[in-house]
Amino acid sequence: QVQLVESGGGSVQAGGSLRLSCTTSGYTFSYYCMGWIRQAPGKEREGVARIYNRSGNTNYADSVKGRFTISQDSAKNTLYLQMNSLKPEDTASYYCAAARNYGSNCADLRVYNIWGQGTQVTVSS
């Protein structure tokens, strides 16, 4: 069974940087898109960034555009989220997720059918 395992979270001051990693364990699997989704206490989940497997195209939420970069290393079966110029409002649990069905609307969080356990990011002012 495929599992997604996030790492790289932590505490940082505003303006700092973190890089999150998401590694697949189990076996190499095919997917249509993968994304980073975050959820802060009392708030709804928010799709932060996503990447399409075949094209490599990426999309970002307006709130992180220009500060966050999503990338993938297929050889290492790893997805990354480089987060720069972090703000206190970026504080949340960050999850990586995969949508396996071809043609999924990857902007809709309901299409993601494999999720990691999450990693906490805390940004202090």
Side-chain angles (χ1 to χ4, degrees):
Q1 182 175 353
V2 175
Q3 289 184 319
L4 303 180
V5 180
E6 301 98 333
S7 61
S11 297
V12 64
Q13 289 191 328
S17 298
L18 285 172
R19 188 176 79 157
L20 305 183
S21 300
C22 172
T23 303
T24 61
S25 65
Y27 59 91
T28 301
F29 71 104
S30 62
Y31 61 91
Y32 180 65
C33 60
M34 290 192 73
W36 287 98
I37 296 98
R38 68 185 180 186
Q39 187 166 26
K43 295 187 177 181
E44 293 187 354
R45 293 182 306 177
E46 176 189 21
V48 172
R50 60 185 180 269
I51 187 166
Y52 293 82
N53 186 18
R54 293 186 182 182
S55 66
N57 289 341
T58 58
N59 295 97
Y60 297 92
D62 288 342
S63 57
V64 306
K65 201 171 293 184
R67 300 188 297 122
F68 289 12
T69 303
I70 188 171
S71 62
Q72 58 185 355
D73 185 335
S74 298
K76 296 182 179 180
N77 293 328
T78 302
L79 180 75
Y80 300 101
L81 184 68
Q82 178 66 44
M83 305 185 295
N84 299 328
S85 302
L86 283 161
K87 304 176 181 180
E89 51 264 42
D90 295 319
T91 295
S93 293
Y94 283 71
Y95 302 86
C96 68
R100 302 196 64 180
N101 298 325
Y102 183 82
S104 297
N105 175 12
C106 297
D108 184 345
L109 301 185
R110 294 172 296 179
V111 307
Y112 293 92
N113 37 30
I114 303 176
W115 289 75
Q117 83 289 349
T119 186
Q120 178 67 33
V121 171
T122 303
V123 184
S124 58
S125 58

